[in-house]
Amino acid sequence: MLAQSVYTLINQQTGNLSFKVFEFDNSSYFDHIQRNNYFTIIIITSGQGLAKVDLSEYLFKENTMFAFYPYQPFMLASEGALVGVCIQFHHDFFCIYRHHKEIAANGILFNNIYQQPFILLDQNNKNTLLNIVGEIVNELKMDALRKDEVLISYLKIFLVLATRIKLEQQSVEDTKLIDNKQLRIVQNLRNAIEENFRIKHSASDYAEILHLTPIALGRVSKNHFNMTLSDLISERIIVEAKRELYLTNKTIKEIAYELGYDDEYYFSRVFKGKTDISPQLYRETIGFNRGA
């Protein structure tokens, strides 16, 4: 489809990457930690290995699609040849945070601390998504009127379809657990974190809310989310902090206070510890102050 080609669209005002599609046939592209300042979608068409994402590890195989948000650390270690296609786009080109209501991708494909960062594709789904990638490549080859708008439309369709696939898979996974009391605990934990993450930050807080021991609740978190309970809570806080830094002009002190931190410097240390970038630098590079 892509014949080992790379197709790139550059922001003429900043000189930065806006949109890129490329095919790969080995693991060298992703075999080291990535912390890109753009969204990355990877479809593995052949190969298998281990994905290291944030604080978790996942086995993957062919017909897997990964979705990573800006500055999210990840790497793919393959056990042989790794073949597939990659789409990368900057928030200036297509802002997930602004379009999340219409495409429902933010919080499902990207930034979802409750689910694994990939979906499995059957043959029909894979062909459908790759066909859209093919149309994107055709558009990138052309020097035509309003190319950006056409590319954004194709990308939006791609994200909507990928989100549908992930939602279907989540439904299937939940059905598998329907007779297991663990599902009820998982649902209650999700609700508890969503309702309380701004004021309750410790694992013991949620164990108390759900009337479980911290050890028992931690076991459920590890089994279902492949994350410790503390990391699960922290990730939800960080996701919200990113949204506030991106979408608002609130001061870091105000954001810290709204997320339950009286000390903005402690909040900044927590944020940097989880993202490897300070709140101020995050805002300067992809947030509100860039006027995107």
Side-chain angles (χ1 to χ4, degrees), residues 127-292:
N127 290 341
T128 298
L129 294 180
L130 290 180
N131 284 339
I132 297 174
V133 176
E135 294 299 326
I136 288 173
V137 168
N138 290 336
E139 188 65 26
L140 284 167
K141 289 179 180 179
M142 299 173 60
D143 184 15
L145 178 68
R146 295 188 171 180
K147 177 186 293 189
D148 288 13
E149 293 183 24
V150 175
L151 291 172
I152 287 172
S153 296
Y154 279 131
L155 180 58
K156 187 179 293 187
I157 293 170
F158 182 99
L159 295 174
V160 169
L161 295 179
T163 299
R164 288 179 183 175
I165 296 168
K166 188 159 190 178
L167 285 171
E168 289 173 1
Q169 291 185 10
Q170 288 177 195
S171 177
V172 170
E173 289 302 311
D174 285 348
T175 300
K176 290 179 181 177
L177 291 171
I178 198 67
D179 295 326
N180 193 325
K181 71 176 183 179
Q182 190 177 93
L183 175 59
R184 176 174 53 82
I185 295 174
V186 167
Q187 292 173 331
N188 289 340
L189 176 58
R190 287 175 172 173
N191 293 337
I193 292 176
E194 284 300 314
E195 292 172 4
N196 298 283
F197 71 87
R198 291 179 177 83
I199 55 175
K200 296 184 182 295
H201 298 169
S202 72
S204 60
D205 287 332
Y206 293 92
E208 182 177 353
I209 290 172
L210 299 182
H211 306 292
L212 295 168
T213 67
I215 293 176
L217 190 56
R219 188 179 301 117
V220 170
S221 177
K222 189 66 176 177
N223 288 342
H224 191 82
F225 303 114
N226 200 30
M227 298 177 71
T228 68
L229 181 53
S230 293
D231 286 335
L232 192 66
I233 299 163
S234 296
E235 284 295 303
R236 183 62 187 92
I237 294 169
I238 296 303
V239 166
E240 196 66 20
K242 286 180 176 179
R243 289 173 177 164
E244 291 294 312
L245 289 165
Y246 185 88
L247 292 171
T248 77
N249 62 351
K250 295 176 184 176
T251 66
I252 293 173
K253 183 176 182 179
E254 288 174 322
I255 294 171
Y257 182 77
E258 290 179 2
L259 292 174
Y261 295 91
D262 293 328
D263 185 343
E264 68 174 294
Y265 299 104
Y266 177 71
F267 164 74
S268 293
R269 289 197 298 273
V270 171
F271 187 95
K272 187 172 184 179
K274 292 295 183 182
T275 65
D276 291 325
I277 184 173
S278 70
Q280 185 60 41
L281 185 55
Y282 181 87
R283 166 166 279 172
E284 290 172 355
T285 51
I286 76 166
F288 181 89
N289 287 343
R290 284 181 60 91

